[in-house]
Amino acid sequence: MLLTRTGAAARGVIGLHRTGLPDEVRPGLNGRFTGIDERAVINHLATANYSAAALVPDAPAVLENIEPGRGG
């Protein structure tokens, strides 16, 4: 199980997205026409690009040897 402290104010983990992609529809999201098949169905490829940055080394943590859902 992975635990993270989130947000810039808590000096945790923040999400990033790249802008300026080719065929960008929205920031971090691009769509490309990939063709028309024999049944006249138009196909597109949509790709979302996300990254995460840990602002300090102790923002993420790993719990090992646990059993979720076994509360008492």
Side-chain angles (χ1 to χ4, degrees):
M1 181 176 285
L2 178 65
L3 302 173
T4 58
R5 182 174 61 244
T6 59
R11 296 182 47 88
V13 176
I14 58 171
L16 306 171
H17 64 268
R18 183 177 164 201
T19 59
L21 299 169
D23 304 317
E24 189 171 63
V25 178
R26 292 190 180 182
L29 175 67
N30 67 330
R32 292 190 182 153
F33 173 74
T34 57
I36 300 175
D37 69 11
E38 63 277 356
R39 292 170 290 168
V41 175
I42 297 174
N43 296 297
H44 287 83
L45 173 65
T47 306
N49 296 280
Y50 295 96
S51 299
L55 300 178
V56 294
D58 67 347
V62 176
L63 294 178
E64 296 177 345
N65 301 318
I66 62 167
E67 295 184 37
R70 298 215 20 145

